[in-house]
Amino acid sequence: MLNLKFSQPFESPVWEVKCHDDKLLINTRNHENFHSAFALVDLKKKELLWQGLEFEDPWWVSAYHLYNNVVVFQKFEDTQNIESRSVFGFDLQKQEVVWSLENVKLLGAQNRLLYLTMPEAEEKLSFDVLKGDWTEAQKVDREVPLEQYPVHYEVDNPHFETLARFLDLKAGLELKGSCDYLEASGTIFIAANHVMDELKALTLCVFDESGNLLLRESLDSGVKGLVSGAFFIVQDALIFVTGKNELKIYSIDEKN
């Protein structure tokens, strides 16, 4: 069995989780009342640091990039023009906006650099999110990501039938449609789409190298379509959301 290290229910569904170093930034979004908020989890201490962070016009604000203690938030300024955006840097420790840029077109981000263009400058510009200032365009050594994400397998993949037989034999679960698969730390992780009580469902199964079932968690049921990207691993921690609202973290280096 795997050991549960952290569990946190939220009032609204978890929409997105961004990770860097020992920080998890969680965005919850409620489509019924168009409410959006953010929370921060310390992955090393396995504790919720704060939650309920909101901005003006919260539905149109989303996290674009997370690096060190700074989150780059983007805000869509024109609902008819997705390219019309502003961005601002938010210090996670101070919990305050430390810089902002208006009317930008985002091209990407790498480590501490944000790449963008502005109407008055067609060339690609570089902005240092930690210093909050422009910088000369430069090549930044890409950090080796700590996160590990699963591979998505569709029915037409040559390995699909092997995975389907494995799940049926080891977990009694009939794979339908697709699944996400990952091997890490001598452990096998499979998030499988299947049917339960005539409803489409998604279940996460974790096995050791011998095929022994270590964990079985129902992630969602009554879903309208196939689901992917349901879990990831960072710093020997398995991270996923159950029932749309509850974030869970299991240790994968501690088994009993």
Side-chain angles (χ1 to χ4, degrees):
M1 301 293 293
L2 298 185
N3 292 326
L4 179 63
K5 293 294 186 179
F6 177 85
S7 179
Q8 176 66 46
F10 294 95
E11 292 185 2
S12 298
V14 175
W15 177 259
E16 183 180 37
V17 178
K18 286 192 175 294
C19 177
H20 185 259
D21 288 340
D22 57 356
K23 299 178 181 65
L24 291 178
L25 182 72
I26 297 97
N27 181 201
T28 59
R29 296 173 76 86
N30 189 320
H31 286 76
E32 293 183 358
N33 57 17
F34 297 102
H35 178 264
S36 176
F38 297 88
L40 187 67
V41 171
D42 187 311
L43 187 56
K44 185 177 295 183
K45 296 180 180 178
K46 306 293 190 300
E47 65 180 29
L48 180 69
L49 298 181
W50 45 256
Q51 63 176 317
L53 174 68
E54 299 180 40
F55 298 101
E56 185 179 356
D57 299 325
W59 192 251
W60 304 108
V61 177
S62 63
Y64 184 77
H65 183 57
L66 170 62
Y67 186 76
N68 206 319
N69 286 317
V70 174
V71 185
V72 178
F73 287 105
Q74 61 180 343
K75 182 178 181 181
F76 296 90
E77 301 291 353
D78 185 348
T79 58
Q80 304 302 315
N81 180 12
I82 196 172
E83 297 296 340
S84 178
R85 309 181 209 179
S86 61
V87 293
F88 57 93
F90 185 87
D91 189 298
L92 291 172
Q93 292 183 330
K94 298 177 181 178
Q95 294 191 50
E96 63 181 27
V97 176
V98 289
W99 55 261
S100 63
L101 300 170
E102 302 295 327
N103 196 17
V104 302
K105 181 179 180 180
L106 295 171
L107 302 177
Q110 182 181 355
N111 300 351
R112 63 190 295 159
L113 294 187
L114 186 67
Y115 301 112
L116 49 86
T117 60
M118 304 183 78
E120 64 272 16
E122 295 183 359
E123 73 272 16
K124 182 178 179 180
L125 302 173
S126 300
F127 188 84
D128 189 315
V129 303
L130 298 187
K131 292 181 178 179
D133 200 359
W134 300 103
T135 184
E136 293 293 328
Q138 55 183 292
K139 181 179 179 181
V140 178
D141 292 333
R142 183 174 293 276
E143 294 182 351
V144 178
L146 297 176
E147 311 96 82
Q148 294 176 272
Y149 295 93
V151 176
H152 186 65
Y153 287 94
E154 298 282 354
V155 177
D156 57 358
N157 189 285
H159 300 293
F160 184 85
E161 286 301 323
T162 301
L163 291 173
R165 288 195 299 270
F166 178 83
L167 278 171
D168 185 33
L169 177 64
K170 299 296 184 179
L173 192 153
E174 186 178 358
L175 184 59
K176 293 286 187 180
S178 67
C179 69
D180 287 350
Y181 178 87
L182 177 65
E183 287 187 41
S185 301
T187 312
I188 300 168
F189 307 84
I190 306 177
N193 286 281
H194 63 106
V195 176
M196 182 173 60
D197 298 330
E198 299 183 353
L199 295 175
K200 291 182 179 179
L202 182 70
T203 295
L204 174 62
C205 294
V206 182
F207 307 88
D208 63 18
E209 290 179 309
S210 300
N212 298 308
L213 185 62
L214 301 175
L215 178 71
R216 178 170 178 155
E217 280 268 8
S218 174
L219 302 185
D220 208 349
S221 63
V223 296
K224 296 181 179 179
L226 301 177
V227 182
S228 63
F231 70 93
F232 66 96
I233 293 171
V234 61
Q235 298 181 12
D236 291 321
L238 169 63
I239 301 168
F240 57 89
V241 175
T242 63
K244 296 184 176 66
N245 291 58
E246 187 170 4
L247 180 76
K248 289 187 176 182
I249 302 176
Y250 277 85
S251 172
I252 64 174
D253 62 352
E254 299 177 15
K255 303 179 180 71
N256 54 34

